[in-house]
Amino acid sequence: MVRTIAKSIAVIQLAVANVAFAGSTPSVFAGTLADMTYVELDKAIDSGAVALWAIGAIEEHGPHLPLATDVYIPSVQLLQIQKRLADRKIASVIVPPYYWGVNRVTGAFPGSIDIRPEVMTELMKDVFRSLTAAGFKQVYCITGHYDAAHSRAIIEAVRASNNGMDTRVHYVVPKPLADRVGLKSGDPGFLIANVSAGKPPEHPDLHAGEAETSMLLSAAPDVVRKELIESLEPTDLTPKDVETWRRGYEDAKRVTPLGYLGDPASADAKSGALRLEQQAAAFAEAIAASVSERR
């Protein structure tokens, strides 16, 4: 069994590596099952591979980060998670990222695509249904987008799918986000990851601030508008300001007119790499424990 799993992991890695570039054009699906053939995918599923899925959003991230920030970050983390799982002899396949999210907070900014929660939930259920039909037994989702309404749409999709399918679907959630949306340890279908909090930020750092800017400087530095970062002043908001910001739309735009909340000028790639690694390690640990329980 171990030899079969190891062979499957090698097949998955080779299949996606061979098509990272199609001629001179980078593949938008590099590293995911979309660049595998159905035969390769079927072999991976037969060997017990689990599915990993990043649930992101297209959303404004200030003048210095791209709209796809919440897609880049979890996609990079899934690659790290996949490697950590492979080290434990757990084969996995990455589903292409979901990026049409719920943007209730930043919905008033250009580029924040705001999908109705019920539409997002139904689409996710159809993807879960298709993964079940393909033969996957377990699916694990993470998000790079911490809008509470977005997470609640994921929660609805996970609960509904687990009530009607053989495949077990899981949402792996950092504890601070779990607390915000009312998830508790032991809730079926939800894995709460205890990610190291690190040193508390000097300013509230909730959106396109030091944390996200640092992670993107590490994960995808070429898409960061580095020349702008040093000119961005800390937002230094009060708890009341943050509460108003979380009401979203025009309230959020009034509180953060430049579209960021935090101190992006203090960002650096080294701390971003550490944060990415710590989060990926916590997510991988939670997933590995769940897989072991089901074996």
Side-chain angles (χ1 to χ4, degrees):
M1 181 63 177
V2 170
R3 182 177 297 175
T4 302
I5 292 172
K7 185 176 180 181
S8 174
I9 291 170
V11 168
I12 294 168
Q13 292 173 336
L14 180 61
V16 297
N18 282 343
V19 289
F21 289 87
S24 60
T25 304
S27 168
V28 297
F29 296 114
T32 75
L33 64 81
D35 271 343
M36 301 172 70
T37 68
Y38 85 87
V39 176
E40 293 163 343
L41 182 61
D42 198 36
K43 288 180 180 178
I45 294 169
D46 282 348
S47 74
V50 302
L52 308 174
W53 196 16
I55 312 295
I58 300 299
E59 177 195 31
E60 73 81 18
H61 275 77
H64 61 300
L65 298 181
L67 299 172
T69 292
D70 288 346
V71 182
Y72 281 116
I73 289 173
S75 296
V76 168
Q77 287 176 325
L78 281 190
L79 292 173
Q80 295 178 348
I81 290 167
Q82 186 178 55
K83 182 178 184 305
R84 286 178 173 274
L85 294 178
D87 290 343
R88 295 177 178 232
K89 303 297 186 274
I90 298 172
S92 62
V93 172
I94 296 175
V95 179
Y98 175 93
Y99 45 82
W100 301 122
V102 180
N103 280 310
R104 293 301 160 84
V105 176
T106 65
F109 286 86
S112 288
I113 309 298
D114 186 19
I115 302 302
R116 286 168 289 159
E118 63 272 20
V119 172
M120 176 175 165
T121 293
E122 288 301 315
L123 189 149
M124 289 186 65
K125 286 165 59 179
D126 282 349
V127 174
F128 292 145
R129 192 176 300 116
S130 296
L131 294 175
T132 298
F136 283 104
K137 300 302 181 185
Q138 297 193 73
V139 181
Y140 295 90
C141 305
I142 66 172
T143 189
H145 181 51
Y146 286 15
D147 187 307
H150 179 85
S151 266
R152 292 189 183 104
I154 299 173
I155 290 167
E156 285 299 310
V158 169
R159 284 179 172 154
S161 297
N162 282 335
N163 284 336
M165 299 188 316
D166 292 335
T167 298
R168 303 310 299 168
V169 178
H170 312 265
Y171 179 22
V172 188
V173 195
K175 191 174 187 308
L177 179 57
D179 291 342
R180 278 185 58 214
V181 295
L183 292 175
K184 296 179 174 58
S185 180
D187 285 351
F190 305 97
L191 306 176
I192 297 177
N194 291 307
V195 179
S196 174
K199 181 183 177 182
E202 187 175 341
H203 309 276
D205 190 76
L206 302 179
H207 183 67
E210 182 276 327
E212 284 191 304
T213 303
S214 293
M215 286 191 284
L216 214 59
L217 281 170
S218 171
D222 290 345
V223 301
V224 179
R225 278 58 171 179
K226 303 179 190 70
E227 70 280 3
L228 298 177
I229 294 176
E230 289 187 5
S231 67
L232 301 177
E233 298 288 338
T235 51
D236 198 19
L237 302 180
T238 67
K240 183 67 175 175
D241 291 331
V242 173
E243 183 181 334
T244 301
W245 178 78
R246 278 196 164 129
R247 291 206 297 260
Y249 293 101
E250 293 301 332
D251 285 327
K253 197 170 185 180
R254 186 176 68 256
V255 173
T256 57
L258 292 181
Y260 69 92
L261 200 167
D263 183 16
S266 66
D268 71 272
K270 185 176 179 180
S271 66
L274 178 61
R275 185 177 273 109
L276 284 167
E277 186 68 20
Q278 288 175 334
Q279 291 183 6
F283 296 155
E285 186 67 31
I287 293 169
S290 171
V291 172
S292 296
E293 287 177 5
R294 302 269 305 171
R295 282 182 169 175

